[in-house]
Amino acid sequence: LTAHDSVALEDFEPVLPPLPDNLPEDEDAMRIVCLVKNKQPLGATIKRHEVTGDVVIARVILGGLADRSGLLHAGDKLVEVNGVSVAGLDPEQIIHILALSRGIVTFKVVPVSDRPVNDQTALYVRAMTDYRPQQDPAIPCADAGLPFRRGDVLQIVDQNDVLWWQARKASDRGTRAGLIPSSYLLTSKRLANPTVIMIAFIILPLSVFPPRPAGFRRSTRLCRRRSARGPQPGCPTCCPGRGCRGGGGPYEEVARYQRSPADRPRAIVLVGPSGVGVNELRRRLIGFNPDRFQSAVPHTTRARKSYEEDGREYHFVSRETFEGMVNSHRMLEFGTYGGNFYGTSADAVRSVLEGGRICVLDLEPQGIQGARTHDLKPYVIFIKPPGGSRLRRSRREATIITDYFVNVKFKDEDLQEMEDAARRTEARFGQFFDEVIVNDDLPRAFGQLLSAVQRAQGEPQWVPAAWLSVR
C-alpha cells in the first residue's frame, strides 16, 4: 500500500515548453501546437498564400503526425516555428528549419476560420504509369510523396487540391497517405510535352517495340507473327491492333468485382513472348477439362477445305465481311497470311462465354486493350520466362515449333530475344496484367495457371469501374 501511494503521488504527464508571455488577449486568435517529431515526416506541407503573402498550411496528410494530432489544419497561418518568427522567410527556409528539428516541434499558428471538411467518397484507381516522387522537382514535398508502379491500385482519399491528390495503396489500408500528381496535372504535362519522357513519370512510347520476327510456336492465328499489322482502320496510330476502347489517362477508376454464379465466366487472356510456352499452357488448360475451357474459333477469308466445317476450325467469311468486322472494331487481333485475312473476334469469345464455358485466349499484348470490355471481363495473365541461366537450363531440352520447322533446338539468340521481348511487354503493358507466372517448369506453371483461373472466377478482383456500370 505504501508503494501504491508513492506511485499515485507521482506526476507522469509529459513536460511541455512554457507558453510564451506575449499571447494575444483573444486566446482563439492564436494557437500553440507542440508535436513530437519521430523518424516519420510531420505530415503537412506549407505554401505562401497567393493574396496575403502569409505562410499557411497547404495540406495535412491523412494519417500523418499532424493529422493524428488534430491540431493543425489546411489554411492555418504559420507565425512561428520553435520560437523563430517566419516573417520574411520563404517556405523553403522554414522547411529547412523543420528538417533540422528533433524531438518536440512547436508551432504558433492563427487557426483558419473555416476548417476544410473532407467528405469525399473514397475513389480507387489503377495506376497506368510509374511514379517516383524523389525524381519529381514539382512535388511540394518529396518525403510526403507516394511512389507507385504501373498496375498498383491506389485509394484516393483527398482530391481537394486540383494538382496534388492524397492517396495510399489499396493493399496498405490504415497507413499514412502520400501525395501523388492529380490526373489533371499528369495529363497537362503530357499535353505540354508529348514527345518527352518525364523523369518522374515513366511513359514508354510504342517505338521501343520493334516488329516481331517469326515466332517460336504454332498458333491458330499463324498469320499474326508474319504480317506487318498496321492500326485498325479508324484507330489512332498510337494503339495498333486495339479496338479504340478504354481511356489513355494516367489513372483508371476501378472497383471490386465478385463474380456471382449467375454471371458469365470471365475470359482468360494469356500473354507472353514467343517460345515462353503460352500456347502449350493454353492447350493443356483446354485438354484438362474441355467441358469447362474452350478456345474462340477464329475467322478467315480463305476457302474452306473439304474436311473442314464452318464454325469448327474457322468461321469462313468473305473479305468484305471481314473488313466490315475490322472497321467496326469487332476484331481483337487480325493479320494476313498467303493473301487471306485471319483474326479472332470479340463475337467468337462472347459466344463461348454465353455457352457457360471459360474462353482461353492467346493474344499479342497489343490486343489486350480491345479485349478489356464489360462483357468479356478478361483476366490477363502474363507468362514470363525465367532470367539468365535459369532460362537456359529450362530450355535445354526444349524445341521450337513453327510453321516452317519442327523440333529445332533453341539458340542463344532465341533465348535472348525471349528475355528482351518479355521486358518490353512488361514495361509497356504491365499495368493490364492481373497475374504474372514465371514458366521455368511447365508442370508447376500449369498448376499456377489453374489456381489463377480459379481465383479469377471465384474471388473478388479489381476491375475497371466502367465494366460494372454497364448492365
Side-chain angles (χ1 to χ4, degrees), residues 96 256 287 362 456:
H96 182 68
R256 275 302 223 193
D362 167 12

Side-chain angles (χ1 to χ4, degrees), residues 125-144:
V125 299
R126 189 189 307 276
M128 296 288 108
T129 66
D130 296 342
Y131 178 62
R132 303 170 185 171
Q134 297 295 337
Q135 298 181 24
D136 184 5
I139 191 170
C141 177
D143 290 337

Side-chain angles (χ1 to χ4, degrees), residues 156-234:
I156 311 297
V157 296
D158 191 305
Q159 301 178 67
N160 284 321
D161 192 318
V162 70
L163 299 181
W164 296 97
W165 292 346
Q166 294 187 37
R168 60 166 67 99
K169 293 184 180 179
S171 57
D172 298 335
R173 300 283 297 271
T175 59
R176 177 179 64 87
L179 293 181
I180 66 170
S182 69
S183 179
Y184 170 80
L185 178 59
L186 277 182
T187 303
S188 299
K189 288 190 174 185
R190 286 189 183 183
L191 292 175
N193 300 281
T195 60
V196 176
I197 300 179
M198 293 181 292
I199 295 176
F201 313 106
I202 311 303
I203 306 168
L204 299 179
L206 282 173
S207 58
V208 301
F209 294 91
R212 281 178 172 267
F216 298 140
R217 61 179 182 259
R218 187 184 303 275
S219 169
T220 56
R221 292 173 303 280
L222 56 91
C223 60
R224 71 184 185 186
R225 288 183 176 80
R226 292 192 220 154
S227 62
R229 284 191 329 175
Q232 293 186 26

Side-chain angles (χ1 to χ4, degrees), residues 45-58 73 75-81 85-95 98 107-110:
T45 63
I46 59 176
K47 68 177 182 179
R48 188 172 298 283
H49 195 279
E50 299 85 351
V51 178
T52 65
D54 297 327
V55 176
V56 298
I57 304 295
H73 303 89
D76 288 351
K77 175 184 173 181
L78 197 58
V79 179
E80 290 182 2
V81 175
S85 173
V86 302
L89 297 181
D90 292 328
E92 291 75 15
Q93 293 174 297
I94 301 171
I95 292 173
L98 292 173
F107 298 91
K108 183 188 289 187
V109 299
V110 177

Side-chain angles (χ1 to χ4, degrees), residues 31-35 69 71-72 76 104-109:
R31 175 182 296 158
I32 305 297
V33 178
C34 298
L35 300 179
S69 75
L71 300 174
L72 290 177
D76 288 351
I104 296 176
V105 182
T106 305
F107 298 91
K108 183 188 289 187
V109 299

